Amino acid sequence: MAPAARIDIDHLDRGTAGRSLIMGILNVTPDSFSDGGDHNEVEAAVAHAGLLLSEGADIIDIGGESTRPGAAEVDAETEAARVVPVIQALAQRTQALISVDTYKASVAEQALKAGAQIVNDVWGLQREPEIARVAGAHGAAVIASHWERQTYSPATILDAMKRFFERSVTLARQAGIPDHRIVLDPGIGFGKTMADNLRILDRIDEIVALGFPVLLGVSRKRFIGEITGREPKERLAGTIATNVLAAAKGVSSFRVHDVAAHRDALAVTDAILSSREAP
């Protein structure tokens, strides 16, 4: 498969990019739920990134700390030691967009200096608000995911998310980050029940209506396994079904392990959606 046409941080929504965007997952951790330990060495990580790009990934998202339920937190020094050498090596070999998956301002600073252009913060810029200033100073884009320590009922989760995102957007704007470089992620699976996840996915068009590009990360997640009875690496069909439905509701980009299959599925989805605008 030919690589997708290159995009940049000013074209992170489907409208300006002209198609759905794919973020390939590259975990350089020993304990991620699906692929922990698979790409711990720099050369192995860079090789896998090359495969993801050849299959059509637009962005490579590099993470050095697992966020699976029950995972132990790692300190900033350890996390940076995992991700920065991979980012440096990848930035020297490709012009593809690189995202660093971190909520720590110091790790983001080192990653952006090494060649990353996007900060993907699972705590929505709110656990270490300094991270927004770091991203703004480097002219980076940010992905603000919803994750709060308190819980909500499925009936109120969307309203809570909108309030959360209002705070995230304020932090980004105060740091000088323009709106088209602010991406929202509903944080499926992060502190959420099965009922929460399904309610959010059914009403994700309400998050799209906030006016920012929306990224969805459901690849191989537990709720798909609970529905299908499949183990993590057997959840591709459920992941694609979820992402195709989300694309139809206006989601712009998708964080996935299985790039090639998603590139095909989303290309067909985009063609169908585009036909609505045809005379």
Side-chain angles (χ1 to χ4, degrees):
M1 176 182 294
R6 293 282 180 244
I7 55 105
D8 57 43
I9 58 172
D10 291 318
H11 297 82
L12 295 177
D13 67 280
R14 187 163 58 195
T16 56
R19 56 179 171 78
S20 296
L21 302 178
I22 295 178
M23 171 183 278
I25 298 170
L26 180 58
N27 289 319
V28 288
T29 59
D31 56 347
S32 291
F33 79 99
S34 173
D35 55 359
D38 288 354
H39 317 296
N40 281 2
E41 300 299 324
V42 172
E43 287 305 315
V46 171
H48 188 65
L51 174 63
L52 296 175
L53 292 169
S54 73
E55 291 180 340
D58 299 289
I59 305 164
I60 302 297
D61 188 47
I62 302 173
E65 178 179 341
S66 174
T67 53
R68 64 175 175 80
E73 293 188 3
V74 301
D75 60 64
E77 183 178 2
T78 300
E79 185 180 350
R82 292 173 178 175
V83 301
V84 170
V86 177
I87 292 170
Q88 287 176 328
L90 189 57
Q92 291 170 358
R93 304 182 198 187
T94 179
Q95 295 182 338
L97 282 181
I98 300 171
S99 168
V100 60
D101 184 355
T102 187
Y103 59 84
K104 300 182 183 76
S106 64
V107 176
E109 177 84 50
Q110 295 175 70
L112 293 170
K113 288 180 178 179
Q117 296 170 276
I118 302 171
V119 175
N120 181 10
D121 183 350
V122 295
W123 289 99
L125 312 178
Q126 296 182 42
R127 181 158 170 176
E128 291 191 18
E130 176 69 8
I131 200 169
R133 187 203 64 77
V134 169
H138 285 274
V142 293
I143 301 169
S145 296
H146 175 264
W147 192 4
E148 297 183 88
R149 295 190 187 279
Q150 62 262 49
T151 58
Y152 301 92
S153 72
T156 61
I157 186 73
L158 268 295
D159 289 337
M161 289 174 68
K162 292 171 188 177
R163 293 192 296 270
F164 178 92
F165 284 136
E166 184 176 358
R167 297 192 296 271
S168 295
V169 168
T170 296
L171 288 168
R173 286 172 170 168
Q174 289 174 343
I177 301 170
D179 283 7
H180 64 277
R181 293 184 184 175
I182 303 171
V183 180
L184 306 182
D185 178 345
I188 296 298
F190 288 91
K192 299 174 178 69
T193 65
M194 166 74 83
D196 293 335
N197 291 328
L198 296 179
R199 178 66 63 91
I200 293 164
L201 291 166
D202 182 49
R203 295 173 55 187
I204 200 165
D205 51 316
E206 295 182 30
I207 304 302
V208 174
L210 297 177
F212 299 87
V214 174
L215 177 142
L216 187 64
V218 300
S219 187
R220 303 180 181 178
K221 285 197 171 175
R222 179 183 295 181
F223 83 97
I224 296 174
E226 291 177 356
I227 294 170
T228 63
R230 301 286 186 180
E231 294 300 315
K233 291 186 179 180
E234 299 174 343
R235 297 172 186 169
L236 175 58
T239 300
I240 289 177
T242 307
N243 285 334
V244 165
L245 287 169
K249 290 177 177 286
V251 172
S252 291
S253 51
F254 302 86
R255 184 178 183 272
V256 302
H257 297 87
D258 304 286
V259 169
H262 275 89
R263 175 56 68 203
D264 287 353
L266 290 168
V268 174
T269 305
D270 288 344
I272 293 169
L273 295 175
S274 296
S275 72
R276 297 175 179 175
E277 303 171 3

